Amino acid sequence: MRKNIVAGNWKMNKSLQEGVEFAKALEAALAGKTLKCEVIVGTPFIHLASVASATKLNVAAQNCADKASGAYTGEVSAAMVASTGAKYVILGHSERRSYYGETDAILKEKVLLALENGLSPIFCIGETKEEREKNVHFDVVKSQTVNALFELSAEDFSKIVIAYEPVWAIGTGLTATSAQAQEMHAFIRETIAEKYGKEVADNTSILYGGSANGGNAKELFSCPDIDGGLIGGASLDVEKFIPVIEGF
Ligand code: 13P
């Protein structure tokens, strides 16, 4: 069944101590609330084990290596991520694609390793401002999806969460309108249906990311094909994150 999900992506923020304190405060603030979505915190690697053991929150890494193990100084494997207690890994974020040269081919390897190690990828796709202006945004999002994911079996694909994050909306305060987001989410679901059938497509959670916050979450989440959010800035403060979670 398709799940509603609100996932925070801390990016490169918070010391270990700040991260653990934040996670405990978030858990305490959520206690006693009836949640209509699953809540995930996407922390830096070094926080994963501590947050997973200090709280019952669902934890996501923000990346993993495209190799299983070995002489890859500074890398962290999917198996290592899984061993912390993390259940998810954010892959293909536009910041990884643009600053660290992550291609569809590299991401395909990361997705496979994540799945082999029992992690659910939160797979990010999205077009730049220039691509939207040139009216190629549907093509871009389709090729990112097809190239990295469409060799998976239907069973493996069903473990993927998609996050549509238009690059022009990330950290800019410029949220996609709910109509723009819904249009793209419906297109993504249709693309999945063409490959894996309607049932798999209907069961895929597709999150929106890009300047989502407590002020716009309710409207975004009320769209039929938007199943939650991947939240950057507004996930860093408990007081800002709770209203997003309560957008459901
Ligand atoms: P902002 O919510 O800060 O725009 O970031 C979105 C994002 O990149 C989440 O992965």
Side-chain angles (χ1 to χ4, degrees), residues 9 11 93 95 165 169-171 209-212 230-233:
N9 176 5
K11 308 191 178 184
H93 193 281
E95 288 149 19
E165 298 206 301
I170 296 176
S211 300
L230 182 56
I231 317 297

Side-chain angles (χ1 to χ4, degrees), residues 85-152:
K87 296 278 180 280
Y88 293 93
V89 56
I90 299 168
L91 291 175
H93 193 281
S94 70
E95 288 149 19
R96 302 283 329 160
R97 291 178 191 261
S98 66
Y99 305 148
Y100 302 100
E102 294 196 1
T103 60
D104 292 342
I106 291 171
L107 291 169
K108 194 168 144 183
E109 296 305 314
K110 294 189 178 200
V111 166
L112 287 173
L113 286 162
L115 290 167
E116 269 172 32
N117 286 284
L119 296 168
S120 284
I122 300 175
F123 192 78
C124 305
I125 53 181
E127 81 285 357
T128 62
K129 184 164 172 282
E130 293 70 33
E131 288 163 341
R132 183 165 277 264
E133 282 166 359
K134 281 197 235 143
N135 207 29
V136 295
H137 46 300
F138 292 110
D139 301 334
V140 168
V141 163
K142 184 168 186 170
S143 74
Q144 289 171 337
T145 308
V146 169
N147 293 346
L149 302 178
F150 276 13
E151 281 177 32
L152 296 174

Side-chain angles (χ1 to χ4, degrees), residues 27-109:
E27 185 173 52
L30 293 175
K33 288 189 192 290
T34 311
L35 300 180
K36 300 207 183 81
C37 62
E38 183 173 322
V39 177
I40 302 171
V41 289
T43 83
F45 287 130
I46 64 149
H47 303 56
L48 292 171
S50 302
V51 171
S53 63
T55 70
K56 290 195 170 60
L57 294 172
N58 296 298
V59 179
Q62 299 171 17
N63 182 27
C64 71
D66 61 340
K67 304 286 191 301
S69 66
Y72 302 101
T73 301
E75 287 295 287
V76 174
S77 71
M80 294 173 191
V81 169
S83 74
T84 67
K87 296 278 180 280
Y88 293 93
V89 56
I90 299 168
L91 291 175
H93 193 281
S94 70
E95 288 149 19
R96 302 283 329 160
R97 291 178 191 261
S98 66
Y99 305 148
Y100 302 100
E102 294 196 1
T103 60
D104 292 342
I106 291 171
L107 291 169
K108 194 168 144 183
E109 296 305 314

